[in-house]
Amino acid sequence: MLENSEKLNNQAVTLAAKGEYDDAIACLKRAITVENENALLWFNLALTYRDAGQIAKAKAAIEYAYTINPQDEEIIETLAVLCISAGAMDEALLHCTAGLELNSLNPHFWNTAGVIHFSSADYQAAADCFEHAVSLDPHYYDAVFNLRDTYGELKNSVGVQECARLLSSIRKESQP
């Protein structure tokens, strides 16, 4: 009987959630032998490698997922974030740009682009990206947090205070 890639994927996700990364990776590799062109399997393999601290392998897996499905926004965002983790900032920015060309209303691409600019100390460009992300999703905690820090670097105390107020309201909304 042939192994079912969906069952192997589900088993891998469960194992990874328990921190059993080696077993999860083994399940995903078996699933990929059954269904090599399944972008979700490669995506989950990338996430599992990332969680296991194997950034180079994670990046290689997500790059393959991207070749299978270059229109998937989550794959593109993960690819950009893994490029940041690998220190490949120019490549990360290229992926963010590709993502924004695909969907300029995705606040995650704007936030990730802001992170790239912030890391190179281009605080004004970072602020522009974070502001765009927050304008698209005012409750996007990471973007507001990043914008607050960026305003701090730009000595914009009014902006810092407004972001702190917004962060406080986001936290209050998320509590039961």
Side-chain angles (χ1 to χ4, degrees):
M1 181 168 112
L2 286 177
E3 290 185 288
N4 180 308
S5 62
E6 184 178 351
K7 286 181 182 176
L8 287 167
N9 180 60
N10 292 340
Q11 183 180 2
V13 170
T14 300
L15 289 165
K18 295 178 188 175
E20 298 175 21
Y21 302 121
D22 291 340
D23 292 336
I25 290 166
C27 278
L28 288 165
K29 285 182 173 181
R30 279 199 320 269
I32 287 168
T33 64
V34 173
E35 195 175 350
N36 188 55
E37 297 301 306
N38 183 324
L40 176 63
L41 297 175
W42 286 97
F43 178 79
N44 286 340
L45 181 61
L47 295 182
T48 306
Y49 275 134
R50 178 203 64 199
D51 293 347
Q54 299 179 45
I55 300 302
K57 288 183 177 182
K59 188 172 175 283
I62 201 68
E63 286 171 341
Y64 194 79
Y66 180 68
T67 64
I68 297 168
N69 188 355
Q71 303 298 310
D72 186 299
E73 293 178 34
E74 197 170 6
I75 289 173
I76 297 168
E77 180 191 357
T78 302
L79 179 53
V81 170
L82 285 170
C83 287
I84 292 169
S85 296
M89 298 305 196
D90 290 342
E91 186 179 353
L93 192 55
L94 286 174
H95 292 300
C96 280
T97 302
L100 287 167
E101 288 173 3
L102 185 65
N103 180 4
S104 64
L105 300 178
N106 182 324
H108 295 275
F109 291 135
W110 287 106
N111 184 63
T112 303
V115 168
I116 296 163
H117 290 300
F118 188 94
S119 72
S120 64
D122 186 351
Y123 301 121
Q124 188 55 59
D128 293 344
C129 290
F130 295 137
E131 287 169 351
H132 208 103
V134 171
S135 74
L136 293 168
D137 182 356
H139 296 96
Y140 184 7
Y141 186 90
D142 290 349
V144 176
F145 184 92
N146 291 336
L147 182 58
R148 183 198 64 192
D149 288 354
T150 305
Y151 282 158
E153 292 294 332
L154 292 170
K155 310 292 187 234
N156 177 346
S157 60
V158 173
V160 169
Q161 289 175 344
E162 179 58 23
C163 288
R165 184 196 63 72
L166 188 53
L167 287 169
S168 177
S169 73
I170 293 170
R171 277 192 290 265
K172 287 178 185 170
E173 290 173 7
S174 67
Q175 295 176 351

